[in-house]
Amino acid sequence: MRVEVRGLTVRYGDVTAVDDVSFTLEGNKIHGLLGRNGSGKTSLMSALAGYRQPAGEVTVDGLPVFENAAATRNICLVRHTPDAADKGDKVSHVLAYAAAWRESWDDGYARELLDLFKIPFKTKAGELSLGQRSALGVVIGLASRAPLTMLDESHLGMDTPTRYAFYDALLADFMAHPRTIVISTHLIEELASLLEEVLIIDAGRLVLQEEADVLRSSGTEVTGHAPDVDEFTAGLTVLSEKSLGRTKSAMVYGPVGQERLVRARQLGLELGPVALQDLFVHLTDPVRGAA
Amino acid sequence: MFDDRSPIYRQIADRIKADVLSGALKADEQVMSTNQYAAHHRINPATAAKAFQQLVDEQVLYKKRGIGMFVSAQARDMLRAQGRETFFGEVVDPMVAQARAIGIPLADVVRHIEQHENRGV
């Protein structure tokens, strides 16, 4: 499955939720779509799922997704509020509805997941707890086995042990049935090790698309005597700086280069790695644009 | 288990190398499959596969088609030799710097090390 997005823009009145975004998702990978609240994650995923007519292009294996039943049958989007279900519908009915949509649906697996998440089959969706409703969304997402499966913060309503059960189920099922998975979240730490690729969006724009392990080596924190730190960071992308007395520490993004590393040693600067979560925070920092 | 501050594939590779060095993994012993490893440590299977491939490239592991990956016969000796090359720069020099910073005379450090030697440790 190849997902191509070209010049995608989503507007609500005067508000531009997604602003001229282009990217390609290729191969069967688990992608993380990371962005702050209101950054455009949900609008972007809705357009990928064909829920709205795009300004720009959204194609799956070369075909536009909007009003294309053949394409959307291969796509499953689960939102953070399980909206598929009428609150009066029983869980069994919600699943039957989800199953009716797609050939790839695995009913046996759906039942296994219901057991795992302790969701009663005959209960009405409206009577489930928040955690159970989130889990029901995840059950639909996983059991759909859709070639493009998108989970829009679906797991955020779960408690911690349930989230870990979800991560394990996701990994096991992904390995058994490789497909393109996109998970959006603003809580990165827990999920980061599961991701192969990361897309960061901010204020409707794509900030970066990168292999997760490459990102983990893309940040450097440098600490030392303030003028020395300034010399080191000159010409680099500085994400953040803070000073304490004569000591300064700066977070830089991108390759540092061998020469600079040698110079850092001469200057006695301390260099350290930057966690993915911190990179994300600073790459989407609202203060940075104004600085 | 793995931190988010350096590439996970490198952390996996380092951990397996440490197991080979300590003898926890022996020559010609089979290592976990990448999928088992990914599930066990809750990491992306492509990331685990990248680590294992790196270890094959470095001849720490070898592949048996259709069976799995195994520790090479020469892996431990090779890793020991590599470790010796970096030992003084990466372990001893920082230790000396630390001893100086906190005011322990190097003679005391040497005496302490000699006690290990005498005990045959």
Side-chain angles (χ1 to χ4, degrees):
Chain A
M1 165 142 302
R2 179 186 165 91
V3 181
E4 272 210 72
V5 175
R6 291 285 161 264
L8 175 67
T9 298
V10 177
R11 286 200 185 91
Y12 307 101
D14 291 342
V15 180
T16 305
V18 178
D19 191 2
D20 193 19
V21 165
S22 301
F23 61 87
T24 305
L25 305 181
E26 255 179 319
N28 292 317
K29 295 180 187 169
I30 304 177
H31 306 265
L33 176 61
L34 313 180
R36 300 157 56 89
N37 290 331
S39 56
K41 301 191 292 290
T42 299
S43 300
L44 175 59
M45 290 175 128
S46 302
L48 288 185
Y51 285 13
R52 56 178 66 254
Q53 185 160 21
E57 237 178 80
V58 179
T59 61
V60 167
D61 290 335
L63 298 169
V65 293
F66 186 69
E67 292 193 332
N68 177 356
T72 49
R73 247 198 297 279
N74 288 325
I75 302 172
C76 177
L77 167 62
V78 176
R79 310 232 214 170
H80 49 285
T81 45
D83 51 4
D86 190 311
K87 292 197 166 163
D89 284 344
K90 285 183 178 167
V91 169
S92 54
H93 181 83
V94 175
L95 289 190
Y97 182 78
W101 272 74
R102 351 193 122 71
E103 293 143 31
S104 52
W105 179 266
D106 186 329
D107 212 45
Y109 182 52
R111 298 289 198 111
E112 258 176 58
L113 290 172
L114 285 187
D115 283 348
L116 174 71
F117 294 125
K118 300 187 178 60
I119 305 170
F121 196 56
K122 302 236 148 94
T123 308
K124 287 177 181 165
E127 290 164 8
L128 297 175
S129 67
L130 170 66
Q132 285 174 320
R133 262 183 291 151
S134 300
L136 180 58
V138 162
V139 170
I140 291 170
L142 289 179
S144 79
R145 295 256 166 84
L148 172 58
T149 300
M150 295 183 281
L151 302 170
D152 184 9
E153 306 206 311
S154 318
H155 60 293
L156 294 190
M158 296 171 159
D159 60 20
T160 311
T162 313
R163 283 202 304 279
Y164 281 106
F166 158 59
Y167 301 146
D168 287 341
L170 169 73
L171 260 190
D173 201 58
F174 171 74
M175 289 192 276
H177 304 274
R179 51 203 192 264
T180 300
I181 293 178
V182 181
I183 306 178
S184 82
T185 185
H186 60 273
L187 295 176
I188 299 156
E189 253 166 320
E190 271 183 17
L191 193 68
S193 67
L194 271 66
L195 306 174
E196 181 170 355
E197 199 169 277
V198 169
L199 292 95
I200 296 181
I201 64 167
D202 190 43
R205 291 185 163 267
L206 185 69
V207 176
L208 64 84
Q209 177 180 18
E210 188 60 271
E211 202 182 308
D213 247 3
V214 171
L215 260 189
R216 286 191 187 90
S217 54
S218 299
T220 308
E221 178 150 40
V222 49
T223 309
H225 194 48
D228 297 340
V229 170
D230 289 338
E231 182 194 323
F232 180 88
T233 59
L236 296 176
T237 306
V238 179
L239 295 181
S240 77
E241 294 180 310
K242 54 186 183 212
S243 298
L244 182 67
R246 278 180 296 174
T247 302
K248 183 169 180 174
S249 119
M251 209 180 279
V252 296
Y253 175 72
V256 165
Q258 196 55 40
E259 255 173 62
R260 234 182 264 259
L261 291 177
V262 173
R263 184 73 184 132
R265 193 172 292 179
Q266 290 167 352
L267 292 169
L269 293 172
E270 203 178 301
L271 299 182
V274 178
L276 204 56
Q277 169 100 3
D278 291 329
L279 268 186
F280 166 69
V281 166
H282 292 290
L283 283 168
T284 60
D285 187 351
V287 181
R288 196 166 67 91
Chain B
M1 205 60 171
F2 295 99
D3 70 54
D4 229 357
R5 299 163 68 85
S6 67
I8 289 179
Y9 83 89
R10 209 181 292 155
Q11 298 179 54
I12 297 169
D14 287 348
R15 188 173 300 185
I16 290 172
K17 285 178 184 173
D19 282 347
V20 171
L21 272 175
S22 75
L25 275 174
K26 302 215 164 15
D28 296 313
E29 189 175 333
Q30 185 166 12
V31 296
M32 270 195 261
S33 75
T34 51
N35 276 10
Q36 284 171 329
Y37 202 90
H40 184 79
H41 294 290
R42 212 174 265 135
I43 51 172
N44 189 286
T47 309
K50 195 171 166 186
F52 282 66
Q53 187 54 50
Q54 185 195 316
L55 292 169
V56 169
D57 292 345
E58 292 180 14
Q59 298 179 330
V60 175
L61 301 181
Y62 65 94
K63 276 185 202 171
K64 271 195 204 168
R65 255 223 150 108
I67 304 176
M69 287 190 222
F70 297 80
V71 179
S72 340
Q74 78 280 10
R76 187 154 186 261
D77 286 343
M78 189 178 73
L79 292 172
R80 282 167 65 100
Q82 285 169 6
R84 283 196 291 271
E85 276 172 30
T86 55
F87 177 75
F88 287 96
E90 285 182 7
V91 180
V92 178
D93 292 351
M95 181 192 74
V96 168
Q98 176 70 4
R100 284 206 173 110
I102 59 179
I104 296 180
L106 288 185
D108 289 4
V109 176
V110 171
R111 203 172 308 124
H112 186 81
I113 293 171
E114 279 168 354
Q115 282 169 8
H116 280 275
E117 180 97 330
N118 297 338
R119 269 191 248 122
V121 177

